Amino acid sequence: MRQFVDQLIQNGYFAGAPKELVYAGAMIVAALVVLSVFVAPLAGVTSWLERRVWARMQSRVGPNRVGPQGILQWLADGIKNLLKEDIIPASADKFLFSLAPYVVFVGFLSAFVVIPFGRELIVADLNIGILYLLAVTSVVVVGILMAGWSSNNKWSLLGGMRSAAQIVSYEIPAGLAVLTIVFVAGTLSTQGIIKGQGWAPWDWFLFYNPFTFVAFFLYFTAALAEGNRTPFDIPEAESELVAGYVTEYSGMRFLFFFFAEWGNLYVIGAVATILFLGGWHIPAIPALADQPILKGGLQFAVFFVKAYFWVFVAMWVRATLPRVRVDQLMSLCWKYMVPLSFVCVVGTAAWMLIWPQGNRPVSMAMFLLGVVILAMFSKRVGYQIRHARPVLYLRPYI
Amino acid sequence: MTLFIILAVLTVVSSLLVIFQRNVVHSAVALVAALFFIAVLFLTLDAPMIGILQVLVYAGAIMVLFLFVIMLLNPAALEPRQIPWWTLGSAAALLLVFLLMPALLNTVAPRQAAPAGPGFGSPELLGQTLFGSFVLPFEIASVLLLVAIIGAVVLAKKES
């Protein structure tokens, strides 16, 4: 990104303008492009897809009226929410109440700065990339707490409190899982972490050793909890708290929270892909060597599919698992996940002392183990689907 | 320089808001903002690692705990009281400023800043410094934190 702007300046564009101003302008343009071309449709389509997938798993139909298969439902929802009345409760703290959605939104959107969609396709390759990601996502909590408190509603306050306690707790296993990979990669830069892996699954950090394999599941679980997703959605548990910290919000402000939630799903998938699943790596194809655009597109596609697969898994988990209780949530984090993630960190550190270059046979064995687990799981799911069919009178794509 | 002035003004204004706000939650949010601007100042000083840690640790973790406690304790119960030590506090602050004055004057005086060396502020260099020349203070600080954690657990435990 910076090189690109520098090149433009050297080629005589923006002559006479102060350099800082050009950089600032470039940043704003980049943010607008990322927001309007990528993040907004992504979050919107994810919201539609989640409702469809969820409906399908529960033998319902889901939204299918707006556009083919209802794919434009998110646009209709967006327009509806834009036109709705923006209600601020009389007893709310007006300033914090209106500020909170933006804090949440900015915290989530800033994450896209360091997500590399391809070898060249990244807004800024910071040398502290993954740490930056952890930092900006931790800002979201402040927004949620502000929303919960300023609504002046006991459901909102309880939701905000639960959310803050949950996010702060689950940041620890998530951070330690990330640290495990940082050990292996020897860098904090997201591009650097991806470059340490390869296109083949056995070169991924997921299969580097048994500890990173466990760390992946720790990360994914903790990230779901941080994103307030079912089964960890007690901050907005409908049966207990109406809608938690968003109870008093309406119209566009309400939508901002959910925009952040659905967009955050993709960020979770993207981070998992960066850290564990080899990022944008594609096999070296000689025919593509002199076609940078095609190659970049292919890298983007690979990255997107890998990341979006985990969005689908999150939807699946949401449709399948019941919500956990507050005390179960905390004991799961502090009694099981935190100690286990410490084991991962120490284990990987010891592993690197013994085999500084990694251990290829073990990686291959881990890969085979992963394939076996996946095969058995698919077999089980296939069995369930086959036996569910007699009661399922829906055509698959109704 | 312009950037620095803007950031400095924002930092000072939000720090003043921390003190002069009537509402405790507003003060805490202003403190988050102040810490955030200081983090950006670190970024402009070629120290991204420190800046990001500032956001991660202070804005993201410590201030969340602050807000958490304030909100749980119900700020209505914490209405601002007339603090009898107002003058004493001001005197202490003035004394602190007086003690810091030599260092401040040294810094404020315009002089050519030394350019940052290669790799300045990078995680590698920070780690090497922390675990090289400053390993003893670092370990002592971590033991101190451990003592604090154990102390908190002991205090929170019910008398049996």
Side-chain angles (χ1 to χ4, degrees), chain B residues 56-105:
Chain B
L56 186 65
V57 175
Y58 288 94
I62 292 182
M63 284 318 295
V64 167
L65 289 182
F66 262 57
L67 280 169
F68 198 82
V69 171
I70 293 171
M71 288 174 184
L72 270 186
L73 290 180
N74 184 17
L78 298 171
E79 274 302 302
R81 281 165 295 184
Q82 277 303 319
I83 303 158
W85 297 347
W86 178 255
T87 42
L88 197 65
S90 318
L94 275 178
L95 187 69
L96 188 66
V97 170
F98 184 69
L99 289 175
L100 286 176
M101 202 48 101
L104 279 175
L105 284 177

Side-chain angles (χ1 to χ4, degrees), chain B residues 19-148:
Chain B
I19 311 171
F20 291 117
Q21 285 281 338
R22 285 302 218 180
N23 189 323
V24 199
V25 176
H26 284 190
S27 291
V29 172
L31 188 52
V32 174
L35 291 168
F36 189 77
F37 291 130
I38 292 174
V40 182
L41 271 175
F42 277 123
L43 291 186
T44 61
L45 288 172
D46 269 341
M49 179 89 180
I50 309 287
I52 292 299
L53 284 179
Q54 171 100 6
V55 173
L56 186 65
V57 175
Y58 288 94
I62 292 182
M63 284 318 295
V64 167
L65 289 182
F66 262 57
L67 280 169
F68 198 82
V69 171
I70 293 171
M71 288 174 184
L72 270 186
L73 290 180
N74 184 17
L78 298 171
E79 274 302 302
R81 281 165 295 184
Q82 277 303 319
I83 303 158
W85 297 347
W86 178 255
T87 42
L88 197 65
S90 318
L94 275 178
L95 187 69
L96 188 66
V97 170
F98 184 69
L99 289 175
L100 286 176
M101 202 48 101
L104 279 175
L105 284 177
N106 255 347
T107 325
V108 170
R111 59 175 62 172
Q112 197 57 44
F120 176 81
S122 70
E124 290 91 351
L125 208 64
L126 193 78
Q128 276 162 8
T129 320
L130 211 53
F131 288 96
S133 35
F134 293 104
V135 67
L136 192 64
F138 179 78
E139 292 297 339
I140 291 174
S142 63
V143 170
L144 190 69
L145 284 175
L146 186 66
V147 170

